[in-house]
Amino acid sequence: VVEVGAGLAFSCARLSDGRVLCWGDDASGQLGNGADGASSSPVPVMGLTDAIDLAVGGAHACAVRMGGAVVCWGENQRFQVGDGMSTDRTAPVAAGGISNAVRVSAGGEHTCVVRATGAVSCWGRDNVGQLGDGTRGGDRGNGVDVTLPAVAMDVDCGDAHTCALLSSGEVHCWGENGALQLGDGTNMDRETAVRAGTLTGAVGVSTGADFTCAVRSGGTIQCWGANDHGQLGDGTTTGRGTLAVVDLLTDAVEVSCGADHTCARNAAGAVSCWGLNTSGRLGDGTSSERTRPVPVSGVTATQLSAGAEHTCAARTDGAAACWGENAAGQLGLGSTTDSSTPMLVTGLP
């Protein structure tokens, strides 16, 4: 396993040989195996054997294929699969008009890619400007371009907002902003990209349901937006329209935002999480809400993904582990029992 993705109530893993397997809820075909039906154990995504990047959203998932094409599957009522239709897809279909992609991100009901040129294109739901093309209200079945002041290194889709990491080290965001998640100091939704505060030196960005975090080159993390469960990690539950520094963390290399919780990884593979902790999604063996990072024991990770109510990690030994809510089997344990500590995903090659 080289990459994991955690969504609303399902999870996926990308293997080193290009295959993708998914598990959990399948009400909209998001497991990609050609049939509806939840599975608490991993099942292979049909026909996908050359994936080089993976994204898991609310109830859909996407992958970049070798050569730069993008395929998606799952819920498609808002055109988030990108095939120009609004029919759910139980197996991967090509996202029309997308080529030379290098990164993909799946949000609540929209999808974005970064192309090899550094350009960003998005499609799907656009009720609050989350596609970033200067309009709102008209869902898009094909990609529209986002205007940015520099080339993009990465893009991340939240529930209804999107942020791009630029080559300049700045983060620019667009879409819903009622919880201050765009970081421009206002609560006005934006149909075009705005800079997140005065942030510089960013090397990674992640969007949650209504908040955003960025990891900086020195190892610190700054977050902004909703904070009702402590998901900004600054020791408070006060929402922030400007950047708040996550307490206690100074060596982070990756951050991942879920619905109401956040997790980070350092270069040694140690994982810490904070925020809402119902169902044990923070992985510290409790269900206590945390406004500052707490260590996750029993996992050494190479990559992280925080979902709505669960979290998954790719481990250094090539396996995957998940923890938190498991009502739909999204932890991949062959059961539907929640876990407040990391558990090995069973059935992965």
Side-chain angles (χ1 to χ4, degrees):
V1 174
V2 294
E3 186 180 9
V4 292
L8 181 61
F10 76 112
S11 310
C12 297
R14 177 172 64 89
L15 307 185
S16 58
D17 63 5
R19 289 180 293 160
V20 173
L21 292 89
C22 298
W23 57 94
D25 186 30
D26 194 35
S28 302
Q30 57 263 52
L31 299 192
N33 65 334
D36 290 329
S39 175
S40 59
S41 298
V43 295
V45 173
M46 183 177 292
L48 187 54
T49 59
D50 60 351
I52 59 172
D53 193 46
L54 171 68
V56 175
H60 75 292
C62 298
V64 178
R65 301 183 64 184
M66 191 77 69
V70 173
V71 293
C72 300
W73 60 95
E75 187 179 59
N76 197 27
Q77 300 305 302
R78 297 290 184 174
F79 305 101
Q80 58 263 53
V81 168
D83 65 343
M85 308 294 287
S86 59
T87 304
D88 294 347
R89 300 296 185 181
T90 62
V93 294
I98 300 300
S99 61
N100 73 322
V102 293
R103 296 283 291 164
V104 63
S105 181
E109 294 177 301
H110 71 294
T111 308
C112 294
V113 296
V114 178
R115 300 176 186 266
T117 59
V120 172
S121 299
C122 301
W123 61 90
R125 192 172 190 183
D126 195 31
N127 61 313
V128 287
Q130 58 264 56
L131 300 189
D133 70 334
T135 69
R136 70 162 74 190
D139 300 342
R140 306 299 184 97
N142 293 292
V144 294
D145 293 334
V146 180
T147 299
L148 294 166
V151 298
M153 308 301 291
D154 201 1
V155 67
D156 202 66
C157 300
D159 186 39
H161 77 291
T162 312
C163 292
L165 170 68
L166 305 187
S167 58
S168 62
E170 297 177 1
V171 169
H172 286 240
C173 302
W174 57 94
E176 188 175 43
N177 199 24
L180 314 175
Q181 58 264 53
L182 302 189
D184 67 340
T186 78
N187 62 356
M188 297 174 56
D189 297 344
R190 303 289 186 175
E191 296 89 9
T192 57
V194 293
R195 185 179 175 186
T198 57
L199 179 68
T200 59
V203 294
V205 65
S206 181
T207 53
D210 48 10
F211 70 106
T212 310
C213 292
V215 59
R216 301 181 67 198
S217 57
T220 58
I221 293 174
Q222 291 184 293
C223 301
W224 55 94
N227 195 28
D228 46 329
H229 298 290
Q231 58 264 48
L232 301 190
D234 66 345
T236 76
T237 54
T238 303
R240 308 284 183 178
T242 55
L243 315 181
V245 178
V246 175
D247 287 349
L248 308 176
L249 289 182
T250 59
D251 61 350
V253 296
E254 181 185 11
V255 65
S256 183
C257 300
D260 300 290
H261 77 290
T262 312
C263 294
R265 173 181 64 86
N266 68 15
V271 177
S272 299
C273 298
W274 57 95
L276 188 63
N277 199 18
T278 53
S279 306
R281 70 191 77 178
L282 300 188
D284 67 341
T286 78
S287 58
S288 300
E289 189 171 286
R290 309 288 187 174
T291 61
R292 291 183 173 89
V294 292
V296 179
S297 61
V299 63
T300 305
T302 58
Q303 183 260 337
L304 286 175
S305 182
E309 300 181 41
H310 72 295
T311 311
C312 292
R315 305 196 322 181
T316 53
D317 62 359
C322 298
W323 56 94
E325 167 68 38
N326 195 32
Q330 60 262 52
L331 300 190
L333 311 179
S335 71
T336 55
T337 303
D338 297 347
S339 178
S340 61
T341 56
M343 300 291 288
L344 182 70
V345 176
T346 59
L348 284 175

